[in-house]
Amino acid sequence: ELAFGLSVLACTEVAEARYAEAEQVLSESIPLHQESGDTDRLAYTIAFRGYAARGLGQRAKAQSDFFQALQSAIANQGIVPLLFALPGIALLLADQGEVAWAVELYAHIAELPFVANSKMRWDLAAQHLQTVSVSLPPAVVTAAYTRGKTGDLWATASSLLIELSNQGWDKVNIFQ
């Protein structure tokens, strides 16, 4: 199916830091996923667009995309979209100085085989989060990681959605 193939291509472009190219492919893929009604594929494709937007320095657009992907993942109990949305949100949190929160959030999924065995996840988020976490005392990083690792993934995702909504992520103006 064309929409899925374009999503895979976009994911590759994002993983290789070719963000403008990814954005172009995603502009074709997202409408096809919308037409198909496949909410999981649409949600993780929107998450890819969030990574591309972040890479292009478009924070508001990245926030909006990751928020939408998280919202869809929760509404549809879609684990794959959640596994793409959470690392992106963690990156944005780290970008705004919330490094411990970012580490905690990523720890929820870091040891799942789909994530732990993925070079793409390392390239997309884990490597950057590991790099910025050295700015914190090791005990703070360990505590954040432990909280995340032992927390309930879906409860955390739901709480995160509320917190991000309270911060205005659901109302960002992507045209600023």
Side-chain angles (χ1 to χ4, degrees):
E1 137 189 3
L2 180 60
F4 179 70
L6 289 170
S7 291
V8 171
L9 176 59
C11 181
T12 302
E13 299 286 16
V14 167
E16 294 179 358
R18 294 192 302 256
Y19 304 118
E21 293 86 346
E23 200 169 57
Q24 176 61 41
V25 173
L26 290 162
S27 71
E28 297 174 44
S29 177
I30 289 173
L32 294 173
H33 284 300
Q34 288 170 326
E35 289 174 20
S36 77
D38 187 332
T39 56
D40 275 1
R41 286 186 179 171
L42 175 60
Y44 68 69
T45 302
I46 288 172
F48 296 154
R49 189 174 64 187
Y51 288 103
R54 180 184 176 269
L56 293 169
Q58 301 168 350
R59 181 175 175 80
K61 187 173 181 182
Q63 281 181 326
S64 176
D65 287 342
F66 288 130
F67 186 87
Q68 288 178 57
L70 176 64
Q71 191 173 39
S72 179
I74 293 167
N76 299 297
Q77 292 292 291
I79 188 68
V80 174
L82 187 63
L83 297 180
F84 281 106
L86 289 181
I89 293 167
L91 286 171
L92 292 179
L93 292 173
D95 291 346
Q96 68 187 34
E98 298 281 354
V99 177
W101 189 12
V103 168
E104 181 178 340
L105 186 58
Y106 193 80
H108 279 283
I109 62 168
E111 295 181 16
L112 297 174
F114 189 71
V115 176
N117 300 323
S118 172
K119 171 134 174 42
M120 180 182 60
R121 296 284 185 326
W122 174 256
D123 292 343
L124 286 178
Q127 182 176 21
H128 179 73
L129 293 172
Q130 185 178 59
T131 300
V132 299
S133 71
V134 300
S135 67
L136 299 174
V140 172
V141 174
T142 300
Y145 193 87
T146 300
R147 280 191 308 274
K149 192 169 112 173
T150 59
D152 178 87
L153 178 61
W154 289 105
T156 297
S158 295
S159 295
L160 179 63
L161 186 69
I162 293 166
E163 177 61 30
L164 296 178
S165 181
N166 289 340
Q167 290 185 18
W169 283 38
D170 61 333
K171 297 174 184 71
V172 294
N173 179 356
I174 62 171
F175 301 107
Q176 291 177 335

